[in-house]
């Protein structure tokens, strides 16, 4: 049994993103190309066994992966009972299929410790971190996005309630048997930097490298320049400083002069 709330949230978040719950033999399984994640999962839960590495013979360029598998029914029942309140509706239905005795808890709420652990586990399995360079007013600045793509909107809405960001509808399904996808994105520089600095000590080595590239890009480049006073653009964005009001008035005077010249 997992007693630490942060560890329990981490296990639930990882299983939300990467878990598989068998409908026939009550088996629970997680596959990952990060061996340290699988080892941490086994040491945290103190159940299951690790197998691998496995190679993809059809796609040899894919990385090797490892599996954490829980076969014993008492171990699986104990784990699912603990993580059940944290899971999305689709995951709960899959867990109830082989364990119909599972019941929803009334008025369940994430505590701060389990909330952060869930975020770490879910982003460990499903997160993407994209640093990039953009231009504004002919000046480069660093930008980054933390994104999660899923066919279940509930975990993404939960993530947005924890750390802001936006949830949008993804691309249309290309086939009839494919489900609609949704994407959670966090763009704001301060939000991205704060979330990464909070999560990076708890992530795997591969995720830490990805996050560190974002922080390095932020350190090497200044933030996006703020509005420049004394421009019509700044006035149109709501600024009412004297310089911006004067620029706005000058623009309209020039427009009136040009119009008068054409008509004259």
């Amino acid at each position: 049994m997992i007693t630490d709330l942060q560890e329990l949230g981490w296990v639930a978040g990882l299983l939300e993103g990467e878990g598989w719950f068998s409908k026939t033999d009550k088996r629970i399984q997680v596959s990952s190309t990060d061996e340290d994640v699988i080892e941490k999962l086994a040491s945290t839960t103190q159940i299951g066994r690790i197998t691998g590495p496995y190679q993809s013979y059809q796609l040899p360029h894919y990385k090797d992966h490892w599996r954490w598998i829980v076969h014993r029914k008492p171990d699986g029942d104990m784990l699912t009972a603990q993580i059940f309140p944290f899971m999305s509706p689709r995951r709960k239905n899959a867990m109830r299929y082989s364990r119909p005795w599972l019941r929803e808890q009334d008025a369940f709420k994430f505590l701060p410790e389990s909330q952060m652990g869930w975020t770490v586990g879910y982003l460990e399995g499903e997160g993407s971190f994209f640093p990039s360079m953009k231009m504004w007013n002919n000046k480069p600045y660093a930008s980054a996005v933390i994104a999660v793509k899923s066919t279940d909107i509930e975990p993404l809405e939960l993530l947005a309630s924890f750390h802001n960001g936006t949830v949008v509808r993804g691309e249309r399904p290309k086939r009839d048997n494919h489900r609609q996808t949704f994407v959670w994105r966090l763009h704001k520089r301060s939000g991205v930097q704060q979330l990464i600095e909070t999560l990076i000590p708890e992530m795997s080595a591969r995720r830490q490298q990805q996050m560190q590239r974002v922080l390095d890009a932020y350190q090497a480049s200044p933030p996006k320049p703020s509005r420049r006073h004394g421009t019509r653009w700044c006035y149109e964005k709501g600024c009412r400083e004297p310089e911006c009001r004067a620029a706005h008035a000058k623009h309209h005077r020039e427009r009136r002069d040009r119009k008068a010249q054409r008509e004259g």
Side-chain angles (χ1 to χ4, degrees):
M1 179 177 290
I2 306 172
T3 57
D4 186 88
L5 289 178
Q6 184 168 349
E7 292 181 350
L8 180 61
W10 181 83
V11 173
L14 186 65
L15 288 174
E16 178 66 58
E18 299 292 334
W20 176 72
F21 302 89
S22 173
K23 294 183 178 180
T24 55
D25 55 3
K26 299 186 178 183
R27 185 161 33 112
I28 304 173
Q29 179 176 305
V30 173
S31 298
S32 176
T33 58
D34 298 313
E35 186 179 8
D36 53 347
V37 174
I38 297 298
E39 292 176 348
K40 180 180 178 181
L41 181 59
S43 63
T44 302
T45 58
Q46 294 295 313
I47 59 175
R49 64 188 182 93
I50 299 174
T51 61
Y54 298 95
Q55 295 179 342
S56 177
Y57 296 100
Q58 296 179 346
L59 301 170
H61 61 281
Y62 277 24
K63 295 189 293 184
D64 296 347
H65 66 276
W66 287 260
R67 294 174 184 167
W68 170 80
I69 308 174
V70 178
H71 286 284
R72 296 184 68 249
K73 180 179 178 296
D75 293 341
D77 291 346
M78 178 187 66
L79 180 62
T80 53
Q82 283 194 283
I83 67 174
F84 185 77
F86 298 88
M87 310 305 282
S88 65
R90 183 174 66 88
R91 292 295 192 184
K92 288 179 178 178
N93 291 336
M95 297 164 74
R96 283 198 191 102
Y97 192 92
S98 58
R99 296 175 172 86
W101 49 268
L102 289 170
R103 291 292 181 269
E104 183 68 72
Q105 295 184 10
D106 295 333
F108 176 78
K109 294 183 179 179
F110 275 85
L111 296 176
E113 297 84 356
S114 57
Q115 171 182 320
M116 184 55 61
W118 185 90
T119 301
V120 173
Y122 191 60
L123 291 180
E124 182 68 65
E126 298 293 315
S128 300
F129 306 88
F130 302 104
S132 62
M133 295 297 295
K134 294 184 178 180
M135 298 293 292
W136 187 90
N137 195 27
N138 296 325
K139 295 181 180 179
Y141 70 94
S143 176
V145 176
I146 303 177
V148 178
K149 186 176 182 179
S150 175
T151 57
D152 297 316
I153 193 174
E154 293 84 5
L156 304 184
E157 292 177 339
L158 187 63
L159 199 58
S161 68
F162 291 162
H163 308 288
N164 299 321
T166 57
V167 179
V168 298
R169 188 180 297 269
E171 299 177 354
R172 291 184 178 180
K174 296 181 179 180
R175 297 182 181 180
D176 294 338
N177 61 337
H178 289 181
R179 293 187 297 170
Q180 177 65 54
T181 60
F182 302 90
V183 183
W184 171 81
R185 294 190 182 98
L186 183 62
H187 292 272
K188 192 175 181 180
R189 176 170 177 146
S190 59
V192 171
Q193 188 169 359
Q194 181 181 1
L195 183 59
I196 287 180
E197 291 176 348
T198 304
L199 301 183
I200 194 170
E202 307 296 332
M203 306 298 282
S204 65
R206 181 173 64 90
R207 292 298 192 184
Q208 287 182 353
Q209 292 177 0
Q210 295 175 351
M211 291 178 164
Q212 191 60 48
R213 283 198 292 268
V214 174
L215 296 179
D216 292 342
Y218 279 163
Q219 293 178 359
S221 174
K224 181 180 179 179
S226 59
R227 300 172 183 172
R228 292 187 304 164
H229 290 295
T231 61
R232 182 175 62 90
W233 177 86
C234 192
Y235 179 89
E236 292 178 350
K237 291 297 182 180
C239 180
R240 294 300 180 265
E241 292 292 329
E243 300 88 346
C244 301
R245 293 167 63 94
H248 179 72
K250 179 181 177 182
H251 169 74
H252 284 282
R253 284 197 302 269
E254 292 175 350
R255 287 188 60 184
R256 288 196 298 268
D257 293 343
R258 288 193 297 268
K259 182 177 180 182
Q261 292 176 1
R262 288 194 300 268
E263 293 177 352

